[in-house]
Amino acid sequence: MLIELRPEAAAQPIVDLVQAVPGLTAWPLRYGERRFVVVSGDEDLVPGFGAGDVIATHSTRERGYWLVDREHRIVPDTVRVGGVSVGRGHPLWFAGGPCALEETDAAGRTATAVREAGGHALRGGLFKPRSSPYHFLGRGRSGLADLEKIGHASGLPIVTEVMDPRDVEAVAEVASCVQVDARNMHNRVLLAELGRIGRPVLLMRGLRAGVPEWLRAAEFVVAHGNPEVILCARGVVSFDDTLAFQPDLGALLAVRRLTDLPVVFDPSHCAGRADAVGTVALSAVLAGADGLMVETHVDPGSLYRPGDAHQMYPIDRLAALFEAANVVRDVRDAL
Amino acid sequence: MLIELRPEAAAQPIVDLVQAVPGLTAWPLRYGERRFVVVSGDEDLVPGFGAGDVIATHSTRERGYWLVDREHRIVPDTVRVGGVSVGRGHPLWFAGGPCALEETDAAGRTATAVREAGGHALRGGLFKPRSSPYHFLGRGRSGLADLEKIGHASGLPIVTEVMDPRDVEAVAEVASCVQVDARNMHNRVLLAELGRIGRPVLLMRGLRAGVPEWLRAAEFVVAHGNPEVILCARGVVSFDDTLAFQPDLGALLAVRRLTDLPVVFDPSHCAGRADAVGTVALSAVLAGADGLMVETHVDPGSLYRPGDAHQMYPIDRLAALFEAANVVRDVRDAL
Amino acid sequence: MLIELRPEAAAQPIVDLVQAVPGLTAWPLRYGERRFVVVSGDEDLVPGFGAGDVIATHSTRERGYWLVDREHRIVPDTVRVGGVSVGRGHPLWFAGGPCALEETDAAGRTATAVREAGGHALRGGLFKPRSSPYHFLGRGRSGLADLEKIGHASGLPIVTEVMDPRDVEAVAEVASCVQVDARNMHNRVLLAELGRIGRPVLLMRGLRAGVPEWLRAAEFVVAHGNPEVILCARGVVSFDDTLAFQPDLGALLAVRRLTDLPVVFDPSHCAGRADAVGTVALSAVLAGADGLMVETHVDPGSLYRPGDAHQMYPIDRLAALFEAANVVRDVRDAL
Amino acid sequence: MLIELRPEAAAQPIVDLVQAVPGLTAWPLRYGERRFVVVSGDEDLVPGFGAGDVIATHSTRERGYWLVDREHRIVPDTVRVGGVSVGRGHPLWFAGGPCALEETDAAGRTATAVREAGGHALRGGLFKPRSSPYHFLGRGRSGLADLEKIGHASGLPIVTEVMDPRDVEAVAEVASCVQVDARNMHNRVLLAELGRIGRPVLLMRGLRAGVPEWLRAAEFVVAHGNPEVILCARGVVSFDDTLAFQPDLGALLAVRRLTDLPVVFDPSHCAGRADAVGTVALSAVLAGADGLMVETHVDPGSLYRPGDAHQMYPIDRLAALFEAANVVRDVRDAL
């Protein structure tokens, strides 16, 4: 439940009153002029409040989110990543780069090539979610300094992942946008931590999360103070194994109806094979994506995980893909 | 297993030899100059044949299909529906009309409007698969005469469904293309019967059939003598309920790699809502569809199943959709 | 919709009145004293009826079934298969035999062994649903005479499959119970035909059918005149591939709440491997199954489909399995 | 990859050698007499080692786990939770209690009742995974002292959840067994942290994780130094909504074949409704579970999350359930 306060009301006494009830937790939240107390717990336990302090209580029982609902006009419809606006009404946003940041020199040349192809940001992770301890887990914290250098050298803002709440602060210092992997979409500890930083959060959809679950994950970030969330679809699990994941076009359409948050698409993890990346990328634009985040690399053969090479989009065809995306976007807008 | 015969070899003795083995069934098949004996049953039971009669035995153990495999060049890459060619290298093929044929006059006006929008065929079913006996089951055989009249009056070839093997002959007399619904993709009795007619078969993908299963279903038709199969994707089941079915773009891509058979897409059953039909239709074209089959009607309010109305594409926007599809096709070909 | 008639009312005039409305189809139905007109089509189109002829109109809009609902007491809670009662309140019913009937002599010996182990019926199919024309499709109609002989010789009633509506009559003459395969659960043409015979129908659950869909399929049979339906669960599709299909215990529990129809379980197709058959069989009994139908054979090595051998339960352990099932049933009843 | 060292070899030089290769990370591991270097990263990058220091290199490429494989006899087949042995060959282990620890007094009385019913441990969480910030998130760290008191008073060891790597140490001081929720099965940051404690870890299966993924998650814990992992199945997602989750009997069977680690079952989250808990609990015992962890509470009406009440097993029937489980276990062992 959200308790919306009058401009002159003090938040702390309300927080204290709620917290005194066993089973409830509360904290204050402010967005511009609007001030709230966020309450976790069963709504029936929340005491009533006089009209003196409280404008309204917003029930979240039915859907589990309220702040990200486009009807409530709390979150922005544009998020800026390193100076570039992402969202409806803006040009398509393009990010490119390897899944995992590896050798610094190649990453730097990749960044330059992405920028020259028309890209607006470099992607590259240091902490990779893996299902086995024997898989390459990413370079870890020690790569942060390199990532910063590559960003400076290429002039591109950095989008990079975080997995451990203890790394959030350090990563946010280097990254222009902090990415949450699909497998962490449900990690409320991490999401709460990301609600406390002053950086946009790129929130991947869980591999089998429904759209409302995805929006509730975004709500976790927003309810802890950070309104700058970019949703990122990347396909969902399916019995159909023709692609790595099934393109979730319906979710893109739905998200546009339900929230103002920008939404982008990762065609590389979705397709899982370079020759299908273009098709799913353009389909996502048809379905309303505000941008694309594509895996690409100047030298796929040099990757620490050789298996990743086959889903790298050829960097010399990246500019053509971005142009095609713009054509398709015009078709969409005219439909 | 397929036993490929020398041009001069007699098929019947080979058929008899195979049939004499308990557990095996066999029948002769001819495509142009190439002659086969089709064998159902475990390959290890099939007796060996001398090189006198037999060119080769083609194992089907691994994948369960052979004739539709594009490497073997048995099935055509173009199927003609009432004089119009469907397949790669030809213009996109467009069919439109209601899911179920209902009132004759409205169906006739719909046919005219579809033709004027640039459509090449009229769709409309008389036998509907339904999960409850209390749902509208279609007009049945008594509607065949009407269907024929509508076809003549509008000049459009008819695509219509068949469910009962006992109806196949009568339907094939009226239809230019006989449709098999997704729920019947596994109905081998029906597929075998459709292998014996001289009409193209439009074979919908089962709602959770893998691509190999779909191709094996096509193989059933082809192995019984009919090479003219058009595959029709229409979305697949998913946990994600943002659309009626998840657009199966990966399957479209896969089918293009695996077979020469034309493949079209039904965006209406996939989307389940008119406002998403355009998006999924164009995405399917990006993924390689050779045509679209769209539900539309001049007067959706008059339908016997009022629930169908909300997925009918507005007939006055059909021409614009077809044009957009052609633009997107050009983007695809240039990618 | 079901229109329930007064005892003295004539059905035909009501049927005619309904049929005169475009979009509606109707037929009469009688169960004991209770008389109905079954209506297919949108309920809003059905004309009103005076209280003179009609007791009540039963809406089927919400769930799509009514006759099989246990609240309405139309269908029996016991179905007799060759003289043995199946259903709650009766001892567990056991059927055994090969999936497909193959060599007659071995089938006969299998029947004897099943009877000696405590089995009440022999299973064995002549028409097999297969996804490829190159798979063994069953012996077909020519095996019916053999099946009859085996039944007579062993004294066991026969449960056998039908796939083609044109075979229903011939199969029903030989079988004590006619089986509908999971892939045909949605085949309304076949189900309607089975509504017209005087034999129990064993209705397998579709591989991904919800419980309401399954009950609607049963309703198809019952609405066409045949109340003797035995539901048969056999596992459902799942991402989890540890068994061939996931045991659908929840569905068994649900079916017991929703309908009086007996429900049995096929552990062999569910498990897909002999060493798991016992576990899933007993679990199904815990969940309320009224019987088990187990694949078994005296000589699995002789099967036409060698692949089936590994899911055959060892016939010499069948009696022990049936005894364990009875123990588990007592645990269930005491829980 | 695991590099197994000779007893006299020094681990650090090998670790250093591996770490010097970009893309590889390594650490030492010891189980009894057996000593390893664990390597994360592509196996082809690992340098060769002379026979002087290395017994063998164990590839983990194919399955992603090695230490938990029952063939390798590294992990124990028995784990002790507060003095009680869990695993094959031991009596069934029973844990009971509420999902979330709430009011202390009721939790204490629940603990006593669980013990009197034959339970061996108390379950109760302070940190709950939730999909919305407005749901009750658990009492958090402040409840740890209470949890300790309840454990002491009742004499039952405590099984409780951890979500945040920063909480692991504090929780491990109070708990006899630390639980990882299904949604955290993939959280490698948390799993690595749990590899460093001296407490058994109860590892729930992810809601759609395959068995190999589950074993790889266990491997994360073991590869970081903690061999005491108890697997806990709790049902998996399914299209079938008759229960909250589909009982994963096949996974239980598979786990018994693949690993020596004990495996228990949580019937409450699986069933999602009290009246189905008994059925799925006993089915899991049939499938090989070494124990059950059941949600129960002396006063379900008092719970902070009223929705949880309907899945609480009646505490006065708990003893009977445990007895039935023992009967079913005997049936299983005799099968």
Side-chain angles (χ1 to χ4, degrees), chain D residues 185-247:
Chain D
M185 191 204 83
H186 281 113
N187 187 338
R188 71 167 175 86
V189 172
L190 186 63
L191 295 174
E193 206 66 43
L194 291 166
R196 297 179 190 115
I197 62 171
R199 280 278 181 273
V201 173
L202 187 99
L203 180 62
M204 310 292 273
R205 181 183 183 186
L207 300 174
R208 73 170 317 282
V211 164
E213 275 172 278
W214 194 16
L215 293 178
R216 289 196 288 268
E219 184 90 0
F220 255 113
V221 179
V222 178
H224 282 85
N226 185 355
E228 297 200 297
V229 177
I230 300 172
L231 300 168
C232 182
R234 37 89 75 236
V236 285
V237 294
S238 169
F239 74 91
D240 183 330
D241 59 0
T242 49
L243 296 174
F245 296 92
Q246 198 82 359

Side-chain angles (χ1 to χ4, degrees), chain C residues 7-333:
Chain C
E8 65 282 7
Q12 201 53 47
I14 307 267
V15 168
D16 292 344
L17 230 111
V18 172
Q19 295 254 81
V21 180
L24 297 183
T25 318
W27 61 91
L29 182 74
R30 170 194 289 270
Y31 279 119
E33 303 287 291
R34 302 181 69 170
R35 298 164 62 247
F36 303 91
V37 169
V38 183
V39 183
S40 297
D42 186 47
E43 298 192 352
D44 290 340
L45 301 176
V46 180
F49 293 99
D53 290 330
V54 169
I55 294 173
T57 53
H58 305 302
S59 174
T60 53
R61 182 172 275 158
E62 204 184 330
R63 294 187 305 173
Y65 63 86
W66 192 92
L67 297 164
V68 302
D69 184 331
R70 73 183 302 206
E71 283 184 24
H72 302 141
R73 305 275 154 188
I74 305 291
V75 293
D77 65 0
T78 299
V79 170
R80 289 176 70 82
V81 176
V84 179
S85 295
V86 186
R88 60 190 87 186
H90 297 284
L92 290 175
W93 175 78
F94 299 121
C99 178
L101 180 80
E102 306 191 338
E103 202 254 311
T104 307
D105 174 58
R109 285 182 291 129
T110 299
T112 305
V114 166
R115 198 195 55 220
E116 286 170 359
H120 306 101
L122 177 72
R123 69 176 291 174
L126 298 170
F127 310 96
K128 303 308 300 176
R130 296 282 184 252
S131 65
S132 158
Y134 308 109
H135 296 162
F136 175 55
L137 306 172
R139 286 183 55 188
R141 273 194 176 227
S142 69
L144 279 172
D146 276 353
L147 197 58
E148 192 163 23
K149 265 185 243 160
I150 294 165
H152 282 165
S154 67
L156 281 189
I158 303 283
V159 181
T160 196
E161 226 161 329
V162 72
M163 293 190 60
D164 190 328
R166 295 168 297 195
D167 291 330
V168 166
E169 212 176 280
V171 169
E173 271 175 36
V174 166
S176 294
C177 180
V178 181
Q179 178 180 333
V180 176
D181 179 75
R183 282 170 203 78
N184 272 322
M185 193 205 82
H186 281 113
N187 186 339
R188 71 167 175 84
V189 171
L190 186 64
L191 296 174
E193 206 67 42
L194 290 167
R196 297 180 190 112
I197 61 171
R199 280 277 182 275
V201 173
L202 188 100
L203 180 62
M204 312 291 273
R205 181 182 184 187
L207 300 174
R208 72 171 319 282
V211 164
E213 276 173 276
W214 194 16
L215 294 178
R216 288 196 287 268
E219 184 90 0
F220 254 112
V221 178
V222 178
H224 282 86
N226 185 355
E228 296 199 300
V229 177
I230 299 171
L231 299 168
C232 182
R234 37 87 76 235
V236 286
V237 294
S238 169
F239 74 90
D240 182 330
D241 58 0
T242 49
L243 297 174
F245 296 92
Q246 196 82 358
D248 42 348
L249 306 185
L252 289 166
L253 291 166
V255 155
R256 296 302 295 253
R257 287 194 302 271
L258 296 169
T259 186
D260 274 332
L261 294 174
V263 57
V264 301
F265 189 71
D266 173 347
S268 303
H269 282 98
C270 178
R273 42 189 294 171
D275 66 357
V277 164
T279 299
V280 300
L282 300 185
S283 298
V285 171
L286 280 173
D290 298 309
L292 297 172
M293 193 161 74
V294 181
E295 270 190 51
T296 190
H297 196 263
V298 285
D299 183 10
S302 74
L303 294 169
Y304 296 162
R305 292 182 81 208
D308 281 356
H310 80 288
Q311 78 182 35
M312 293 286 156
Y313 200 76
I315 207 156
D316 57 335
R317 289 169 47 202
L318 202 58
L321 176 64
F322 293 164
E323 276 163 41
N326 283 323
V327 172
V328 163
R329 184 193 159 134
D330 289 344
V331 172
R332 161 185 111 198
D333 291 347

